[in-house]
Amino acid sequence: MRVLAMDTSNLVLSVAVVEEDRVLAELTTNQQKNHSVRLMDAISELMDETGTLPEQLAGIGVAKGPGSYTGVRIGVATAKSMAWSLQIPVIGVSSLEAVAMNARGFSGLIVPLFDARRGQVYTGAFRTKDWAELSVVAEERLVLLRDWLASLKEQAGNERVLFMGEDLRIHRETIAEQLGEQALFAPATHNHPRAAHIGLAALGKLAEGGHPHEMVPEYLQLAEAEAKWLAQNPACGVKE
């Protein structure tokens, strides 16, 4: 079975075609360019390169967020549209978990994070369940970085904590200040998500199904414009 996988949830664009336990092709770039313009070209290139016809796909994997609102929507909308037209499952994979997958095998706490502005980060915590799998230690959240670091310090005890993600350069000084030598920082090669990880994770979940209409993005917070609109129009908000 073959799966097409994609991640446009942040600055990185990553697309892959995987088959069982093989990565047939992968394209990953880390440039300030428009995902909406480049995604379909990248998909077409990899499908041609691997000789994959649309009808050969058993499913589609996609990073479902958190991350850039626009980026998440581009990837999710593309994946859902393709899956619906081909009548195949679409599997959403956490964008944070996609980064954490680069550290499978690490013996301490694995903490991916994305900057969310105003001192906040999107983050969560994972451990290696066995060499090939991750288990969730702390659910994904939007949190002030300083509060998160205080919680991690208490939770980790004497364990080392591995921080990951392209936005580490923004927060590295604060992390080092609060956790000192307990904090480890992933090398640049491990900070960006790989669509191949998403594809292989999706392969393992195909049996569970994944109807395109049921897969929704995970933003963790409202877009600023939406939040302002709801504040000005409280009667239009969701009521309990």
Side-chain angles (χ1 to χ4, degrees):
M1 294 189 295
R2 291 190 182 187
V3 164
L4 170 69
M6 63 194 78
D7 188 342
T8 62
S9 59
N10 287 285
L11 182 63
V12 170
L13 167 69
S14 189
V15 180
V17 177
V18 302
E19 181 179 58
E20 302 300 339
D21 58 351
R22 297 177 61 216
V23 178
L24 299 180
E26 185 177 35
L27 184 155
T28 301
T29 64
N30 189 11
Q31 300 292 319
Q32 188 72 48
K33 295 183 178 179
N34 194 329
H35 293 335
S36 65
V37 174
R38 302 174 62 238
L39 177 58
M40 290 309 298
D41 286 344
I43 291 172
S44 179
E45 178 182 341
L46 289 198
M47 295 281 280
D48 288 345
E49 182 72 21
T50 59
T52 302
L53 299 174
E55 55 267 28
Q56 289 179 279
L57 294 175
I60 296 177
V62 61
K64 64 178 182 178
S68 156
Y69 290 104
T70 302
V72 171
R73 284 171 177 156
I74 289 169
V76 169
T78 300
K80 290 178 67 171
S81 298
M82 292 183 67
W84 172 250
S85 66
L86 295 170
Q87 294 296 290
I88 56 177
V90 59
I91 307 296
V93 176
S94 159
S95 301
L96 288 165
E97 185 177 357
V99 175
M101 287 177 188
N102 291 327
R104 283 181 294 195
F106 178 70
S107 60
L109 207 57
I110 302 168
V111 179
L113 60 81
F114 306 141
D115 180 62
R117 298 187 298 178
R118 302 185 182 91
Q120 300 178 104
V121 292
Y122 299 115
T123 188
F126 302 84
R127 291 188 196 277
T128 298
K129 186 175 181 181
D130 53 44
W131 197 93
E133 294 184 26
L134 293 176
S135 61
V136 177
V137 175
E139 296 290 341
E140 297 177 0
R141 64 197 65 196
L142 172 69
V143 63
L144 286 169
L145 177 61
R146 289 189 177 276
D147 292 345
W148 177 233
L149 293 175
S151 174
L152 285 175
K153 192 166 186 178
E154 180 178 344
Q155 185 169 338
N158 295 322
E159 269 190 310
R160 303 300 293 274
V161 183
L162 177 64
F163 291 89
M164 310 182 71
E166 284 292 321
D167 295 332
L168 281 182
R169 62 187 184 279
I170 302 172
H171 300 292
R172 183 167 182 147
E173 184 176 337
T174 302
I175 294 169
E177 174 189 315
Q178 287 198 230
L179 266 69
E181 294 184 358
Q182 190 174 3
L184 298 175
F185 299 94
T189 52
H190 286 57
N191 279 329
H192 61 255
R194 291 186 55 193
H197 286 320
I198 294 171
L200 292 173
L203 263 171
K205 297 179 180 179
L206 287 181
E208 302 172 13
H211 196 283
H213 292 342
E214 297 173 355
M215 214 284 286
V216 295
E218 180 58 78
Y219 297 121
L220 295 185
Q221 68 171 331
L222 295 174
E224 187 173 352
E226 188 176 359
K228 287 181 178 178
W229 188 88
L230 287 173
Q232 294 168 3
N233 301 272
C236 297
V238 177
K239 297 181 180 179
E240 297 294 336

